[in-house]
Amino acid sequence: MVSTSLPGGTWTLGDLPVTRFGYGAMQLAGPWVMGPPADRGGALAVLRAAVELGITHIDTSEAYGPHVTNQLIREALHPYPDSLNIVTKVGANRDQQGGWPPARDPESLRRSVHENLETLGLDVLDLVNLRLGDAAGAQPGSVAEAFETLVGLQQQGLIRHLGVSNATPEQVAEAQAIAPIVCVQNMYNLAHRQDDELIDALAEQGIAYVPFFPLGGFSPLQSSVLSTVAARLEAAPMSVALAWLLRRSPNILLIPGTSSTTHLRENIAGAALPLSDDDLAELDKIGR
Ligand SMILES: NC(=O)c1ccc[n+]([C@@H]2O[C@H](COP(=O)([O-])OP(=O)(O)OC[C@H]3O[C@@H](n4cnc5c(N)ncnc54)[C@H](OP(=O)(O)O)[C@@H]3O)[C@@H](O)[C@H]2O)c1
């Protein structure tokens, strides 16, 4: 068991203790997640600050940059503290236009797992999410061949735990029928509540739900209700959005992204914002 002063406390991903307040590294790459960051020193400083502030869960992917965020994580933090868990994902490549073409055939998945091991400087990946769907979101279709490929790599000892991302509830169930998963990473925030039922079902099973774009991603969350509640609490809307997620369900883990140490600190402080039942009821209306 780990103790933390970070908001939300801790969660156990499989057998990995993590702080519920984590960090998403995607925004450390260049514009639209392509190429190197404009401020490499600043990017390294954000990663080091995250760990110094007690965060033990960093989310990344070989596709970010590509290679860029994994290389930054290694440069900033290797050799990694025992307490740090790095979660990566496979299943998409990058093309010249910055698109995210699927790469879920067995050969691409094997290659991607080995690339993640190499760029992160690890012998075993803590947790690998199979990224499904496309840039428009989750799409129906069988996950069996791709997920079985990752299970094979897990059985070889290259992966500790598995999860799925950008997945429909049916795909989550299909993966679970093949092998245990410890998390689902889908798009979800105050304004995008399509996974409400899935979150509750996963909570009952002790499986984490990790919302990506918790602050709206490339288009910051905007809502007049959110602005009103934030003004009443004399807080930033982003703080309210993070605090709401932590209150929404105990199995929700935060991985807000930022390329700024100042924003990282603001987000940690903001996620601790107390929300009353009236605040929650008002916020609950936004995405319903
Ligand atoms: N599984 C998937 O398919 C998938 C897809 C997308 C993302 N992800 C993961 O989810 C993580 C989170 O998503 P995200 O980073 O794209 O979106 P996000 O966390 O919703 O928002 C990040 C954006 O918010 C800004 N921001 C953060 N804190 C702020 C603050 N206090 N004040 C003002 N602006 C602030 C950041 O800009 P600054 O840099 O200026 O702070 C950045 O532009 C990613 O890092 C990635 O690991 C997964």
Side-chain angles (χ1 to χ4, degrees):
M1 195 65 197
V2 288
S3 65
T4 180
S5 56
L6 291 170
T10 58
W11 176 266
T12 305
L13 272 173
D15 62 350
L16 307 173
V18 294
T19 48
R20 285 183 69 211
F21 195 102
Y23 173 68
M26 184 176 92
Q27 301 285 348
L28 291 182
W32 301 104
V33 202
M34 287 295 279
D39 176 6
R40 187 176 182 82
L44 296 171
V46 172
L47 287 162
R48 291 185 183 124
V51 170
E52 280 160 16
L53 291 164
I55 287 173
T56 65
H57 173 200
I58 293 182
D59 187 78
T60 185
S61 170
E62 186 67 15
Y64 297 162
H67 320 301
V68 171
T69 60
N70 278 3
Q71 289 165 347
L72 289 168
I73 290 169
R74 183 177 184 165
E75 184 177 340
L77 300 172
H78 195 280
Y80 303 113
D82 288 345
S83 57
L84 181 64
N85 298 290
I86 300 174
V87 176
T88 190
K89 63 191 78 66
V90 295
N93 278 336
R94 303 305 298 280
D95 60 26
Q96 296 291 331
Q97 291 71 42
W100 304 78
R104 295 196 283 271
D105 59 285
E107 187 43 40
S108 297
L109 291 172
R110 281 188 208 104
R111 188 169 51 244
S112 185
V113 164
H114 283 281
E115 282 174 358
N116 274 286
L117 286 165
E118 193 177 321
T119 49
L120 289 168
L122 289 167
D123 297 326
V124 187
L125 298 170
D126 289 325
L127 199 171
V128 175
N129 282 310
L130 174 62
R131 199 256 199 192
L132 299 160
D134 56 29
Q139 305 294 343
S142 174
V143 304
E145 185 186 39
F147 195 69
E148 281 164 4
T149 302
L150 292 186
V151 172
L153 293 163
Q154 184 182 35
Q155 287 166 351
Q156 284 175 38
L158 301 179
I159 300 172
R160 286 202 175 86
H161 296 291
L162 294 171
V164 290
S165 175
N166 220 13
T168 64
E170 293 74 24
Q171 289 167 333
V172 173
E174 189 188 12
Q176 287 185 291
I178 296 169
I181 60 168
V182 300
C183 71
V184 173
Q185 183 178 124
N186 277 2
M187 180 178 172
Y188 182 83
N189 57 43
L190 252 179
H192 292 90
R193 304 278 302 269
Q194 72 291 344
D195 272 352
D196 273 328
E197 277 182 31
L198 178 62
I199 290 169
D200 296 339
L202 293 171
E204 279 178 23
Q205 300 172 56
I207 294 174
Y209 183 90
V210 187
F212 74 76
F213 293 163
L215 300 173
F218 296 104
S219 318
L221 272 177
Q222 283 184 332
S223 142
S224 54
V225 174
L226 175 59
S227 302
T228 304
V229 174
R232 190 169 67 225
L233 297 173
E234 297 180 2
M238 294 203 172
S239 300
V240 177
L242 293 175
W244 176 82
L245 278 171
L246 282 183
R247 283 288 297 276
R248 167 64 184 81
S249 186
N251 63 329
I252 288 189
L253 309 184
L254 301 185
I255 52 164
T258 180
S259 54
S260 148
T261 305
T262 305
H263 286 171
L264 176 67
R265 288 178 187 278
E266 280 174 15
N267 293 343
I268 291 173
L273 188 74
L275 296 174
S276 69
D277 289 345
D278 286 348
D279 298 330
L280 290 171
E282 206 169 337
L283 293 167
D284 207 37
K285 291 181 201 149
I286 296 175
R288 294 262 189 198

